[in-house]
């Protein structure tokens, strides 16, 4: 493993910071399929230097999106403290979708990136979101047939906004979320949708 940033020489720290900045930019623009060589080239470092700091793409993704993962978890934690479960539920959907609309790479990492990273992050956030959804159901505000796995479908739908200017994507995301949240509200299930997909089906 490479040294901690605080233990690196100044030039090594600068190279590392530049690589992370470029990685976030390219992941946001093109998703996680960006070659490591392209990241090294734009960052102005050799491919050997890149791999010395980040031996795998998974390690690079993990570092590049540390703040976003923490923010996502914080959003759910804060929503769980809201005395109004429905408001907390809506807040999570809205904020996560806005984060996705402004950063294509983060959602790819969170939803369908690398298995180890995916499971590690999902383990912390999934239980929180599931608990939040159940609270909203228990108070009669969230329709009973909502499945926590539907969050993945929401992100897949919202992901169609990637590739357009951020201002347009965020505005469209807010409108899409408003429609989706209205459909999730209890009392709008006169025409129920098909049976929710299993997790395996959603990931496929």
């Amino acid at each position: 493993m490479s040294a901690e940033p605080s233990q690196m020489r100044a030039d090594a720290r600068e190279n590392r910071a530049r690589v992370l900045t470029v990685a976030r930019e390219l992941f946001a623009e093109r998703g996680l399929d960006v070659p490591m060589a392209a990241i090294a080239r734009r960052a102005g470092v050799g491919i050997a230097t890149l791999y010395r700091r980040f031996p795998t793409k998974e390690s690079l993704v993990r570092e590049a999106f540390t703040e976003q993962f923490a923010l996502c978890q914080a959003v759910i934690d804060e929503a769980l403290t809201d005395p109004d479960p429905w408001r907390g539920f809506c807040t999570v959907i809205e904020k996560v979708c806005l984060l996705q609309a402004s950063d294509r790479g983060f959602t790819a990492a969170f939803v369908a990136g690398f298995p180890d990273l995916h499971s590690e992050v999902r383990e912390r956030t999934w239980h929180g979101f599931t608990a939040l959804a159940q609270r909203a159901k228990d108070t009669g505000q969230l329709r009973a047939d909502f499945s926590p796995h539907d969050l993945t479908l929401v992100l897949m739908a919202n992901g169609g906004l990637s590739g357009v200017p951020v201002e347009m994507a965020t505005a469209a995301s807010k409108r899409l979320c408003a429609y989706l949240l209205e459909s999730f509200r209890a009392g709008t299930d006169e025409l129920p949708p098909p049976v929710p997909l299993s997790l395996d089906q959603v990931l496929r």
Side-chain angles (χ1 to χ4, degrees):
M1 297 295 292
S2 59
E4 291 295 322
S6 60
Q7 300 172 332
M8 298 178 185
R9 299 194 317 268
D11 60 337
R13 287 197 301 271
E14 291 175 2
N15 284 342
R16 184 178 186 279
R18 189 162 60 251
V19 165
L20 288 173
T21 297
V22 167
R24 282 189 287 266
E25 291 173 352
L26 287 177
F27 289 149
E29 292 171 10
R30 298 159 53 182
L32 300 184
D33 292 333
V34 178
M36 293 285 271
I39 295 172
R41 187 163 53 250
R42 182 182 286 194
V45 301
I47 190 67
T49 297
L50 176 60
Y51 276 110
R52 187 160 56 247
R53 298 303 175 203
F54 304 100
T56 65
K57 184 178 278 190
E58 178 181 350
S59 63
L60 178 57
V61 170
R62 188 190 306 274
E63 286 294 316
F65 295 114
T66 294
E67 291 183 7
Q68 288 91 333
F69 288 136
L71 175 59
C72 189
Q73 180 62 46
V75 166
I76 293 176
D77 289 343
E78 183 178 357
L80 285 168
T81 66
D82 194 319
D84 184 339
W86 174 249
R87 183 172 58 198
F89 176 84
C90 292
T91 297
V92 169
I93 296 293
E94 292 166 349
K95 289 189 175 181
V96 171
C97 283
L98 282 176
L99 180 60
Q100 176 189 30
S102 61
D103 197 332
R104 175 184 175 188
F106 168 69
T107 305
F110 185 80
V111 174
F114 302 94
D116 292 342
L117 178 65
H118 185 203
S119 61
E120 180 180 306
V121 176
R122 181 179 290 275
E123 187 67 23
R124 293 199 306 269
T125 59
W126 191 251
H127 292 302
F129 181 71
T130 299
L132 182 63
Q134 188 59 53
R135 286 180 56 202
K137 288 182 182 181
D138 292 343
T139 57
Q141 297 168 297
L142 176 64
R143 56 189 298 158
D145 58 357
F146 177 85
S147 167
H149 298 314
D150 289 334
L151 175 61
T152 303
L153 297 180
V154 169
L155 293 176
M156 290 171 66
N158 193 64
L161 302 173
S162 63
V164 300
V166 173
E167 297 78 6
M168 294 176 60
T170 53
S173 178
K174 291 178 181 179
R175 186 170 177 82
L176 175 62
C177 283
Y179 281 127
L180 292 175
L181 288 172
E182 188 59 31
S183 72
F184 295 152
R185 188 192 299 272
T188 60
D189 53 357
E190 290 80 2
L191 296 175
V195 175
L197 299 176
S198 69
L199 177 59
D200 287 341
Q201 289 174 314
V202 169
L203 293 179
R204 283 202 301 272

